[in-house]
Amino acid sequence: MTSQTHHHYAAVRHGDRSGDAARPGLWRAPISAEPYRELGFLLTALPLAVVGFAVTVALFAAGAGLLVTVLGLPVLAALTSFGRGFAALERHRARTLLHTEVGDPQPVRRSRPGVWGGVTARLADGLGWRAALYQVLMLPWSIVAFVLPVVTLTVGWVLAAFPAYQWVFARYTDWPGYRLYDFTTDAGVHHEYYLTSNWQIIGVCLVGLVFLLLSPPLIRGLTNVNRLAIRALCR
């Protein structure tokens, strides 16, 4: 291993350790910047995944359909070029939003000059095909990784802040407090339940705090899947 390569891998290991050391503890995590930066990665991943999936499928379908002619090969070469471009974007997002170092791949190597030399080199580009596979696999995952933290954080903050706005229901509605349910059975028995006592209000707040405390580990677990996928398919 050359000294330059050794320095690169040492920097990668150092970058990973620094990111872990800088992570806040359990109690400070919900109000720290780290989980929200990782949340930003997950939220922006979904629209990028939609675009990446659409372009990848369209190019692959067009290229496969045109393989009966020579035109299919340049289209598939364009697919791997597109995959390389998106792989570079994902590596950049991993460095800036996830504080995860991902090594840059080797450039595409041509075995012969000319236009068809470039096409054949692109067709033989392993990274381009892996990155195209990444675009296909990550769309369903990006939907899950978008919905889970958004729901968890929204529920957490709404419930945790309940003591600050619970008075609104008694003042501006005919409810004595927030109404959990109100229904009448087929037998004519009426059931209703309101949150009015201090202990009930505190209980709602505590449930919200539990959601908030669980959100950073959830976000970290979701982004760890992205880290593994980027390292496996985008370099």
Side-chain angles (χ1 to χ4, degrees):
M1 181 181 294
T2 66
S3 59
Q4 183 179 1
T5 305
H6 176 77
H7 176 73
H8 169 73
Y9 283 102
V12 170
R13 292 196 300 269
H14 176 71
D16 289 344
R17 287 199 304 267
S18 298
D20 292 336
R23 288 189 57 78
L26 176 66
W27 302 106
R28 291 194 304 107
I31 57 174
S32 64
E34 183 71 18
Y36 293 98
R37 181 171 56 251
E38 294 184 344
L39 177 64
F41 178 92
L42 297 176
L43 297 185
T44 54
L46 180 56
L48 290 174
V50 171
V51 174
F53 180 88
V55 176
T56 298
V57 171
L59 288 176
F60 182 79
L66 291 172
L67 280 179
V68 293
T69 70
V70 73
L71 296 178
L73 298 180
V75 174
L76 293 178
L79 169 61
T80 62
S81 297
F82 170 82
R84 269 199 172 245
F86 255 72
L89 176 60
E90 287 299 278
R91 292 194 302 272
H92 175 73
R93 284 174 8 94
R95 295 181 187 119
T96 56
L97 295 176
L98 300 183
H99 287 177
T100 299
E101 288 297 331
V102 184
D104 290 325
Q106 294 292 328
V108 177
R109 298 185 180 277
R110 295 189 179 200
S111 58
R112 52 185 177 178
V115 175
W116 284 107
V119 170
T120 55
R122 292 291 181 181
L123 291 174
D125 181 23
L127 171 61
W129 290 108
R130 292 196 305 273
L133 177 63
Y134 175 90
Q135 300 303 322
V136 175
L137 296 179
M138 294 308 289
L139 177 59
W141 171 251
S142 296
I143 296 173
V144 173
F146 182 98
V147 172
L148 284 180
V150 168
V151 171
T152 304
L153 281 171
T154 301
V155 171
W157 282 114
V158 169
L159 296 183
F162 184 66
Y165 63 84
Q166 53 82 26
W167 58 271
V168 171
F169 303 101
R171 176 169 296 186
Y172 296 105
T173 71
D174 57 354
W175 302 350
Y178 179 75
R179 184 166 65 188
L180 283 182
Y181 57 79
D182 182 9
F183 65 94
T184 302
T185 65
D186 294 338
V189 179
H190 183 71
H191 297 274
E192 61 181 15
Y193 191 85
Y194 297 91
L195 301 175
T196 56
S197 71
N198 290 334
W199 286 113
Q200 290 171 329
I201 295 170
I202 293 173
V204 172
C205 179
L206 291 177
V207 172
L209 291 176
V210 170
F211 272 88
L212 291 179
L213 290 174
L214 292 177
S215 294
L218 171 65
I219 293 172
R220 180 67 173 183
L222 294 172
T223 54
N224 278 342
V225 175
N226 291 86
R227 288 180 174 92
L228 290 174
I230 291 171
R231 283 169 170 161
L233 300 176
C234 293
R235 67 172 183 177

